[in-house]
């Protein structure tokens, strides 16, 4: 989509053109030694342009020098003028803000800031089979961490229930161990009365005057 930003270019007090700037890509991050392309477009300008660069947006710009590694290709269709700045292999010092400056004017395109970065090197080079084995081991350990505590808790609970049931059973056996039901039923049959005493008698009718009252001991 075009950025509708218009500039009137005047020469000798006469309006000659109305320049329309295209929307540039604001930021690109390129890995060191990779290929990069920057693009700028505009309309209604036929007096030429050139690429300029600044290390920072607020710094003074300087013209980009082309070489075998850095080339500029201009495309001029019917309506739009575009230029592509190509880096075959970017270097760290290529980092900066790139803009197109229209000749004989102070007009710049919006520009693109290109950042060149150094990729992090792998400290440990692992094969795919080793990575898969590590992932599988992590999965097994995670499963054990989740299931292990639950299994131990259930096992401990089951053992505790068995121990309680065994203890209750032993207590019941101890209660009935010294109790003989046959002895209990025949205990009263073996009670012997002392000799010399008969059956219980009516004291009021059998005791004579002057005799002592003797009660039968049970």
């Amino acid at each position: 989509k075009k950025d509708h930003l218009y500039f009137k270019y005047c020469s000798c007090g006469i309006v000659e053109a109305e320049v329309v700037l295209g929307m540039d890509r604001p930021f690109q991050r390129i890995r060191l030694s990779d290929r990069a392309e920057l693009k700028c477009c505009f309309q209604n300008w036929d007096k030429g342009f050139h690429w300029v660069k600044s290390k920072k947006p607020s710094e003074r710009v300087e013209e980009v020098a082309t070489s075998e590694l850095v080339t500029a290709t201009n495309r001029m269709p019917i309506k739009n003028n575009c230029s592509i700045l190509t880096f075959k292999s970017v270097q760290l010092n290529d980092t900066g803000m790139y803009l197109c400056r229209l000749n004989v004017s102070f007009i710049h395109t919006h520009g693109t800031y290109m950042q060149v970065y150094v990729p992090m090197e792998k400290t440990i080079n692992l094969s795919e089979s080793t990575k898969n084995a590590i992932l599988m081991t992590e999965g097994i350990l995670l499963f054990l961490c989740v299931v292990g505590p639950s299994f131990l808790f259930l096992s401990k609970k089951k053992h505790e229930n068995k121990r309680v049931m065994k203890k209750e059973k032993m207590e019941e056996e101890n209660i009935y161990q010294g109790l003989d039901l046959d002895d209990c039923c025949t205990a009263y049959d073996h009670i012997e009365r002392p000799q010399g005493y008969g059956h219980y008698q009516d004291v009021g009718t059998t005791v004579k005057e002057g005799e002592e009252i003797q009660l039968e001991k049970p």
Side-chain angles (χ1 to χ4, degrees):
K1 184 178 179 179
K2 297 298 181 181
D3 179 21
H4 300 289
L5 182 61
Y6 301 89
F7 292 91
K8 298 287 186 179
Y9 173 70
C10 301
S11 177
C12 299
I14 302 175
V15 177
E16 295 185 356
E18 186 177 49
V19 180
V20 182
L21 300 180
M23 178 64 75
D24 297 337
R25 186 175 178 178
F27 179 78
Q28 286 194 40
R29 192 166 185 263
I30 309 298
R31 186 171 58 181
L32 181 66
S33 302
D34 280 2
R35 177 186 174 89
E37 289 186 354
L38 306 179
K39 183 179 180 181
C40 70
C41 293
F42 47 87
Q43 297 179 10
N44 303 330
W45 187 260
D46 56 359
K47 300 184 182 302
F49 58 92
H50 56 277
W51 282 93
V52 293
K53 169 194 173 183
S54 64
K55 293 293 184 181
K56 297 179 180 179
S58 59
E59 291 184 357
R60 185 177 179 179
V61 297
E62 58 183 15
E63 187 172 351
V64 176
T66 58
S67 63
E68 293 183 357
L69 298 177
V70 181
T71 58
T73 304
N74 299 331
R75 299 177 182 177
M76 302 181 65
I78 298 176
K79 293 184 179 181
N80 296 331
N81 296 331
C82 294
S83 178
I84 298 176
L85 188 65
T86 304
F87 296 83
K88 294 183 180 180
S89 178
V90 295
Q91 305 300 316
L92 292 176
N93 58 1
D94 291 330
T95 297
M97 187 75 179
Y98 291 83
L99 312 96
C100 283
R101 171 183 281 181
L102 307 186
N103 293 342
V104 298
S105 73
F106 297 99
I107 301 175
H108 295 82
T109 57
H110 302 288
T112 300
Y113 187 83
M114 182 175 68
Q115 181 187 32
V116 181
Y117 71 95
V118 179
M120 295 181 61
E121 297 182 358
K122 295 181 179 179
T123 55
I124 301 177
N125 190 12
L126 300 176
S127 62
E128 290 298 325
S129 59
T130 305
K131 293 179 181 178
N132 293 335
I134 293 174
L135 292 176
M136 183 178 296
T137 304
E138 290 179 350
I140 294 174
L141 292 176
L142 180 61
F143 176 79
L144 293 177
C145 291
V146 174
V147 178
S150 300
F151 177 78
L152 292 176
F153 175 77
L154 293 176
S155 178
K156 183 178 180 181
K157 190 67 175 178
K158 184 178 180 181
H159 179 73
E160 183 69 18
N161 291 338
K162 288 183 177 180
R163 189 178 66 83
V164 172
M165 292 177 63
K166 185 176 180 180
K167 183 178 179 181
E168 292 178 351
K169 185 176 180 181
M170 291 178 62
E171 290 178 351
E172 291 179 358
E173 291 178 354
N174 291 334
I175 292 174
Y176 294 103
Q177 185 175 3
L179 183 60
D180 192 344
L181 296 179
D182 294 335
D183 294 341
C184 292
C185 296
T186 59
Y188 293 99
D189 297 337
H190 292 81
I191 297 177
E192 297 181 356
R193 298 178 178 273
Q195 295 181 0
Y197 292 91
H199 296 286
Y200 289 100
Q201 298 177 355
D202 189 353
V203 176
T205 57
T206 58
V207 177
K208 297 181 179 180
E209 185 178 357
E211 295 182 354
E212 295 181 355
I213 298 176
Q214 294 183 353
L215 299 178
E216 182 182 357
K217 294 182 181 180

